[in-house]
């Protein structure tokens, strides 16, 4: 059990996010402090019953955090935590899965719109003080989304929301997930990942919103890119490792696909010498799809719910990992 509300101490550990300020605005009366750097975090970890953390965590803190009973991850991923060691200490762990589903889905939709409406090119032209004239070549004009086909690879929280947004624009939506029986959300049909190659030739957009797991690592390789239309676009709002970068660069340089919008790369950021930086048919955002002004509030909503569950003695937490 965690201490009662009037005895509980929470540590918010993050280099940038305003987690404590957002939590304080809830007026819970719970005592808390924040750590902005690793040294301070290590010095004060022993004071906390609950730690809210993501990238600043390392498993050497487990023996130092002698009062620790619960960790609320700030992010969806929990690979950095030694689950066995936490379980051995009786420390519970919950992820923030779904915390940025709306944000990433909206970002992916924005990337699709940016490609269709040639917004990166317009911004570049603005910087050059160039007012582009009318274009006779149909292939070089802005396009409309209605009637276009988007393949959404990963139809979970993010992909499911993206399917709803895409349908609102009149797009044909084909979804892919490891378990099609889990449901199509707003997609017109849903299929297994193994069926993806059969649908790639029909796609105007291929949007990745899947987790990086063995089945999706390198999923978009030279073979997959070779199946896409020359007029098709790739949108990656998943993880950089889902795409073989060298194969993508080759396909873009050769004009085998029309372009790509990438919120994630592998590595992040791309190497300074990566051609992706300067390719006119590539639009890069710096893994900001999930970052919004509501992020801290969304995480704190999960945190407060899990605290209430523990005070009630419930066995299962929201997004429980350990």
């Amino acid at each position: 059990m965690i201490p009662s509300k009037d005895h509980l101490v929470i540590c918010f550990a993050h280099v940038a996010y305003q987690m404590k300020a957002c939590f304080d605005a809830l007026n819970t009366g719970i005592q808390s402090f924040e750590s902005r750097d690793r040294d301070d975090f290590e010095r004060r970890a022993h004071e906390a019953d609950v730690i809210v953390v993501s990238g600043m965590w390392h498993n050497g803190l487990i023996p130092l955090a002698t009062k620790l009973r619960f960790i609320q991850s700030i992010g969806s991923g929990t690979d950095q935590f030694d689950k066995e060691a936490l379980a051995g200490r009786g420390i519970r762990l919950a992820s923030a899965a779904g915390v940025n589903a709306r944000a990433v889905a909206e970002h992916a939709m924005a990337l699709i719109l940016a490609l269709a409406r040639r917004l990166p090119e317009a911004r570049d032209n603005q910087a050059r003080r160039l007012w582009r004239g009318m274009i006779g070549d149909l292939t070089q004009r802005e396009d409309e989304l209605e009637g276009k086909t988007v393949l959404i690879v990963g139809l979970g929280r993010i992909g499911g929301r993206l399917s709803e947004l895409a349908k609102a624009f009149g797009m044909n939506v084909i979804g892919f997930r490891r378990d099609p029986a889990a449901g199509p959300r707003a997609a017109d049909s849903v299929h297994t990942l193994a069926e993806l190659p059969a649908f790639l030739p029909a796609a105007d957009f291929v949007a990745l919103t899947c987790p990086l797991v063995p089945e999706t690592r390198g999923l978009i390789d030279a073979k997959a890119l070779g199946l896409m239309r020359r007029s098709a676009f790739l949108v990656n709002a998943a993880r950089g490792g889902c795409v073989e970068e060298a194969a993508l660069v080759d396909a873009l340089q050769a004009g085998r696909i029309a372009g790509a919008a990438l919120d994630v790369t592998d590595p992040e950021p791309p190497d300074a010498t990566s051609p992706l930086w300067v390719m006119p048919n590539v639009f890069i955002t710096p893994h900001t799809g999930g970052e919004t002004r509501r992020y801290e509030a969304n995480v704190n909503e999960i945190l407060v719910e899990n605290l209430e569950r523990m005070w009630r003695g419930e066995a299962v937490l929201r997004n429980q990992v350990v």
Side-chain angles (χ1 to χ4, degrees):
M1 290 290 292
I2 60 172
S4 60
K5 181 179 293 188
D6 54 341
H7 290 94
L8 188 74
V9 177
I10 301 176
C11 170
F12 294 98
H14 198 282
V15 297
Y17 288 174
Q18 303 300 312
M19 295 298 306
K20 184 181 186 306
C22 183
F23 185 78
D24 288 347
L26 299 175
N27 296 314
T28 63
I30 298 172
Q31 182 181 349
S32 67
F33 66 93
E34 67 183 1
S35 290
R36 292 293 189 188
D37 64 74
R38 182 167 176 156
D39 290 342
D40 181 69
F41 186 28
E42 289 184 351
R43 282 194 302 269
R44 302 195 64 185
H46 70 280
E47 301 175 33
D49 304 293
V50 173
I51 291 177
V52 184
V53 65
S54 55
M56 284 178 62
W57 175 264
H58 64 87
N59 292 306
L61 290 162
I62 296 176
L64 300 178
T66 53
K67 294 173 56 182
L68 184 60
R69 291 295 176 266
F70 172 57
I71 299 172
Q72 175 63 64
S73 174
I74 294 174
S76 299
T78 57
D79 291 345
Q80 69 270 44
F81 298 99
D82 185 334
K83 282 84 167 177
E84 185 176 347
L86 292 177
R89 272 277 315 276
I91 299 169
R92 303 177 79 174
L93 168 67
S95 79
V99 69
N100 57 7
R102 291 188 303 270
V104 177
E106 290 173 9
H107 194 81
M109 194 69 228
L111 294 178
I112 291 172
L113 283 163
L115 292 170
R117 303 304 305 171
R118 303 179 75 99
L119 297 184
E121 177 186 325
R123 183 69 179 185
D124 292 344
N125 286 343
Q126 178 183 340
R128 297 162 54 201
R129 294 175 170 79
L130 173 64
W131 188 274
R132 195 200 72 190
M134 290 187 290
I135 296 177
D137 185 349
L138 296 180
T139 66
Q140 298 304 305
R141 290 186 195 170
E142 290 78 5
D143 209 348
E144 301 175 27
L145 292 182
E146 185 171 6
K148 295 292 191 294
T149 295
V150 57
L151 309 187
I152 300 178
V153 182
L155 208 62
R157 292 182 178 95
I158 296 170
R161 178 56 180 156
L162 177 58
S163 71
E164 295 167 354
L165 296 174
K167 290 303 292 183
F169 281 90
M171 301 185 76
N172 304 313
V173 180
I174 302 174
F176 298 85
R177 63 191 313 171
R178 284 179 287 181
D179 180 15
R185 292 290 293 266
D188 297 297
S189 63
V190 59
H191 308 269
T192 66
L193 291 175
E195 296 176 88
L196 177 63
F199 289 88
L200 286 172
D204 297 293
F205 295 89
V206 177
L208 307 181
T209 56
C210 52
L212 181 59
V213 295
E215 299 97 311
T216 60
R217 182 173 292 279
L219 180 68
I220 304 300
D221 55 11
K223 182 178 179 180
L225 291 162
L227 291 171
M228 292 171 61
R229 297 175 177 176
R230 296 178 71 88
S231 59
F233 295 96
L234 175 70
V235 173
N236 191 0
R239 288 292 184 267
C242 295
V243 178
E244 289 190 1
E245 184 175 304
L248 176 61
V249 169
D250 286 345
L252 290 165
Q253 289 177 332
R256 288 193 291 274
I257 65 171
L262 311 172
D263 187 50
V264 290
T265 58
D266 185 18
E268 291 185 355
D271 292 333
T273 58
S274 172
L276 293 174
W277 285 113
V278 296
M279 300 180 79
N281 53 349
V282 175
F283 183 31
I284 297 176
T285 55
H287 205 154
T288 52
E291 284 195 7
T292 72
R293 300 174 192 183
R294 293 180 57 179
Y295 192 91
E296 287 90 337
N298 292 341
V299 174
N300 278 322
E301 177 186 317
I302 298 173
L303 168 65
V304 170
E305 179 180 336
N306 280 332
L307 293 176
E308 294 289 348
R309 290 191 185 196
M310 285 185 284
W311 282 322
R312 291 194 298 265
E314 295 185 17
V316 179
L317 303 178
R318 180 174 170 183
N319 296 336
Q320 180 170 319
V321 178
V322 176

